Amino acid sequence: MISRMPRGQGSSVSTREKPKGDRAVDPNEDNCKHRRGAYLLLGLLIVFLHGSWSVYRFQFGNLPLPLDAKQAGKRGFSEASALEHVKYLTSLGPHPVGSDSLDIAIQYVYAVAEKIKTTAHWEVDVQLELFHTDIGANRLSKGLFKGKTLLYSDLKHVLLRVVPKYMPEAEENLILVSSHIDTVSTTEGAGDCSSCVGVMLELARGVAQWAHGFKSGVLFLFNTGEEEGLDGAHSFITQHHWRNSVCFAIDLEAMGISGKSTLFQGTDHWALESFAAVAKYPSAQIASQDIFHSGAIKSATDFQIYQEVAGLPGLDFAYTDTTSVYHTKNDKMKLLKPGSLQHIGDNMLAFLLHSAASPNFLKNAQQQKQENTEQNKAVFFDILGMYMVVYSQRLATMFHNSIILQSLLIWGTSLLMGGRSGLVSFGISCLGTILMLIFSICLPVVVAFILPHICPFPVPYIANPWLIIGLFGSPALLGAFIGQHIGFILLKRHLRCVYAITKPGLTHNTREYVIDLEAERWIFKSGFVQWLIVLILGTYFKVGSSYIALIWLVSPAFAYGFLEATLSPVRLPKQLKVVTLVLGMAAPVVSSAGLAVRMADVIVGSVVRVDRNPGGLPDWLGNVIVAVAIAIVICFMFVYLLSYIHISGDKRSLGLLLCIFFGLSLALVSSGIVPAFTEDVARSVNVVHVVDATGIDDGNREPLSYISLFSNTPGKLTKELVDLGDEEFFCGRNMTTDFVTFTMKYGCWSYKDSSTGWSKSEVPTLRVESDSVTDGARQTVISVDTKSSTRWSLGINKQEIDDFTVQVDSEKLVLLGDKTEVDGWHTIQFAGGKNSPTKFQLTLYWSNSATETSRREAKEGTHVPLLVKLRTDVNRVTPQVTNVLEKLPRWSTPFGKSTSPYTLAFLTGLRVNI
């Protein structure tokens, strides 16, 4: 036998046993130069992270230059002009429904609209109306308001209709542009949604100069009552005489403040294509729509009314920057980024001019409104904020199915050619992927559990979201590598047995090196399987954002196929090329890295209000949510990059670097060097003066009065009480308060000076007018008097009550039937203006088993639950609440929402055994 002595080694390989193609793998040379060094791996990691951040900044932070009135011209959009409106509205302070400041805001919007009317093009007819609503009831079937009946009265809206003078049919075909003037009681609402109102006023001014060429009219609706349960949109869509002429709806909203206003909900393919065709700076993500519809984000917009109640096609836009300031004092002008209003203004003006002038758009809108089908659903997303991709859901399903089928065929053929050993290798590589996910989640979750015990606040990264990279990203990445490396080791053990049988002539060094290379390839290819499974599940459940899985599967697979794959099973594997990783990752990073960063930012910002029943969730839960989200993103986005590390000789150096980064981040948050909250990004803390008359029996007892302190942000109130030391607060889980719409399960009470600032005449009453049984059916009539309050919530025990009606004067406002429940209660929420009624008649129809149950509980003397419970709100700050608010630290802020009480709340109720 003739053998060739390799250079630098004393081993030999038969030329018959080693094919010519194997010369690329020469273990007799210095193997170290084949191994990737720490600098190369660190460089790849930096390039990947920097590239992802650059994509995010370019896609979501690249705002247009704001224009003043002169630069925009008579027909353009000027951010400077829009900001003048925002500045005035925010100067009014909070302006919730029923407040004097809201009346002033409405008058201002009406005055600006009148000016738009007088300066419109001479061939354009601008019709202006101040709409005063009747009392109404709204009951939605899904989402945030499931299990509720929303009542409203005495709301005022400003409507501005722009139509061409010489085309009367345009009045019967309107494009609705809608947003709300009102705010919650805790904020001046620069983002939510004075910015939207300012944009709409400037849009109306511009549209009034173009509308003489329109085929459709444009209706601008400045509504009130959105913050109290979408009442404004519902009152318009059910009461106003222009409602039947609306064919298409556009809603402008804010879930944060400034940045790009992103299209996050869209109903129809043709509408999305129209927007994509003309938008100057397209920003649109169907992933946001998927998350919103999943219920993960507990919020709602007027778009739900337009879609569910009116059956209208449309588009929904929202600001999502800095979501931590949502509904707090920090939603202010100071944080509005230059270019934010110019971005949505330019996009919307271009879209309105195009759609209102297009006969095809009008035809599609009319047809969709009449048919109300879901066949026109589409997938949509933008690329770097420069180009928007839109294609139908049907096409997406066909394309995805084709890719899935081809992938399964390729994998099936590959495994068939590889035989039993290939199938086992495939299984082990998949096991490595599972272990990667498990370890990647477990390590940051452990950190999430630890943080509340070593940091001043359980969520210490809200004001500085970049800290999550070290706190959760580093352990998640380390865990992902550990899990994948375990799979790599198991795979090497299997391949040693295979090569001992199939390649007995290879030397030990050669075999070990080749095994490393083949194991690396299997680990790399396991990423295909991971994304293929996601694509299959997403396609099956018709998740629009499944396109992300498609890109992460196809692009690396093509790069691998062109640069790495061979058709000869005899050839020994080569080392994976770095260029394969770079080319394979380019398209996925460009298409989805920015979105991943934005979603992480939104999740972090939402943690400040994650506890909907204060104290009802463990302190670590918010951290766990963030940790799991970060781990999942890392597992899926780093799956290909991690496979390049396993045959490196510098794994320990990289692991040490991640540990150091984690340690530094942990030291910063645990020591308080980097504050958890700041004046601009504050912690949610609510102060409410509570007057509880629930325990009063026949007027023989005084109401219980106290100052309540609670937070929707995880964690106790220890730090806040440092500044409130002389206010005599005592805290605990025995301070439970049932606020009807939610329950405070942990908070603080203070009885100090709580008897002032309110009077007994303000305590609401529930009086039984009649209680009768007819043919075995029990019926109880209760009169409800909310006294001076025009904002209240009433809970009805659905375990006892089968149905109910609500009557105002002689008008039945809520009829029998169609009552859902949540946790055994149906809740009625009422919000109205100053002239709203305060006396109601509630008729309860008991369930068949309720009477016997109630009698037995009363006879046995056990705890008898409430039949109905009532909370009334008064938008007044009592002297003691003023004192507490002034002493609260600057990094805390009240948080408002439709279910939160005002600063003065009265509680009462009726027992089941009435």
Side-chain angles (χ1 to χ4, degrees), residues 613 799 821-825:
N613 294 289
Q799 294 180 341
E821 63 184 73
V822 174
D823 297 329
W825 291 86

Side-chain angles (χ1 to χ4, degrees), residues 402-418 426 522 525 528-529 532 553-554 557-558 560-561 565-567:
S402 174
I403 295 297
I404 291 170
L405 180 60
Q406 293 178 53
S407 300
L408 292 176
L409 286 174
I410 291 172
W411 271 107
T413 303
S414 175
L415 294 176
L416 187 64
M417 292 177 60
F426 172 78
W522 273 110
K525 290 188 289 185
F528 303 157
V529 180
L532 177 60
L553 169 64
V554 172
F558 266 109
Y560 182 89
T566 64
L567 298 177

